[in-house]
Amino acid sequence: MIFFGTGSANIASIKTRNITCQHCKNEDTIYINIYRKHFHIFWIPVFPFIKSGNSFCSHCKQVLKPKEMSDQLQLQYKNIKGNVKGPTWQFSGLLLLICLIGLIIYTTGRDKLNTKLYLSEPEIGDIYKYRVDNGNYSTMKLVSITQDSLFLSLNDYEISKRSRIYKIDKPENYPDTYFGYSKHEISLMEKDGTILEINRD
Ligand SMILES: [Zn+2]
């Protein structure tokens, strides 16, 4: 399947001044058409890259490429081509990509801030995502808090991909046996990357 390629948009159609058609000898019947090509992925225009154009006589319908134009017409063509701005939609894909990157940066930053906050002010029910020694990932659920300790129920399941952790985060996967950690231990685990993220509903 071909999912990328180029498209073209007619971005201007402007009447020339004081030009006589070489073919039908009519005056002021010549228009300049400007096109801008864009690169597309999945039919979403990503960015434009080249402008081209031609002249068109509204009377005799003759179309001329730039190299076929008279010097006078070519001058107006070059001026128009240089000045005309294309539509923003030809940048849609690029804008979309920038928004997406922005969103990822924003959510990553927010998740990190939340994790710091939940670490300093723990609440029962918080879910700790962590890295298991064997390279897998799992979660623990905070079930009890004392002055200096946290008691967590360790998920019965592990999963090999970090992005799939949500699949094992189910209430029935947390057994009634708890493990106690000092708050200091937990913060060390967060610092060394064992605890990846803390989530709260
Ligand atoms: Zn003509």
Side-chain angles (χ1 to χ4, degrees):
M1 192 177 93
I2 297 166
F3 60 87
F4 62 89
T6 61
S8 187
N10 183 341
I11 59 172
S13 201
I14 293 166
K15 198 175 183 178
T16 58
R17 279 173 298 158
N18 310 318
I19 302 273
T20 305
C21 177
Q22 293 165 26
H23 187 244
C24 70
K25 310 300 175 197
N26 274 292
E27 211 174 300
D28 286 339
T29 55
I30 309 262
Y31 288 77
I32 299 284
N33 282 313
I34 304 292
Y35 304 91
R36 191 165 71 170
K37 273 195 170 181
H38 57 255
F39 184 71
H40 70 72
I41 299 175
F42 288 110
W43 298 276
I44 299 170
V46 181
F47 55 84
F49 59 92
I50 198 170
K51 280 195 268 188
S52 62
N54 55 32
S55 74
F56 170 77
C57 175
S58 60
H59 182 76
C60 71
K61 315 297 178 203
Q62 189 191 45
V63 173
L64 294 177
K65 292 176 188 164
K67 60 181 175 198
E68 297 166 337
M69 295 173 188
S70 68
D71 290 350
Q72 205 193 353
L73 182 56
Q74 208 174 63
L75 194 70
Q76 291 199 30
Y77 165 75
K78 279 178 181 165
N79 263 333
I80 290 170
K81 187 182 156 201
N83 288 332
V84 74
K85 302 257 186 296
T88 312
W89 64 258
Q90 287 188 309
F91 287 101
S92 305
L94 203 62
L95 296 175
L96 203 68
L97 193 70
I98 289 167
C99 289
L100 213 68
I101 291 169
L103 191 70
I104 290 168
I105 290 171
Y106 167 75
T107 52
T108 311
R110 192 199 50 193
D111 288 349
K112 275 189 181 152
L113 274 178
N114 280 345
T115 296
K116 297 276 181 216
L117 177 75
Y118 301 158
L119 198 67
S120 61
E121 293 167 31
E123 266 181 29
I124 286 168
D126 285 354
I127 300 293
Y128 291 60
K129 290 179 180 172
Y130 72 101
R131 195 173 276 141
V132 188
D133 289 340
N134 61 16
N136 285 341
Y137 299 94
S138 191
T139 60
M140 332 185 249
K141 188 189 225 167
L142 186 57
V143 288
S144 175
I145 306 165
T146 64
Q147 188 73 32
D148 54 9
S149 295
L150 299 176
F151 293 86
L152 294 130
S153 166
L154 271 59
N155 196 317
D156 282 330
Y157 296 88
E158 296 175 359
I159 200 150
S160 58
K161 281 195 177 151
R162 183 177 174 173
S163 59
R164 304 267 167 85
I165 298 179
Y166 71 94
K167 285 193 169 179
I168 57 168
D169 179 24
K170 293 176 183 157
E172 63 267 28
N173 292 352
Y174 296 100
D176 290 332
T177 44
Y178 310 143
F179 290 87
Y181 298 92
S182 73
K183 283 181 178 174
H184 181 65
E185 268 180 293
I186 291 286
S187 86
L188 286 180
M189 284 163 78
E190 195 272 336
K191 278 203 182 77
D192 74 14
T194 306
I195 290 173
L196 304 160
E197 195 182 313
I198 305 172
N199 296 128
R200 185 175 291 174
D201 285 336

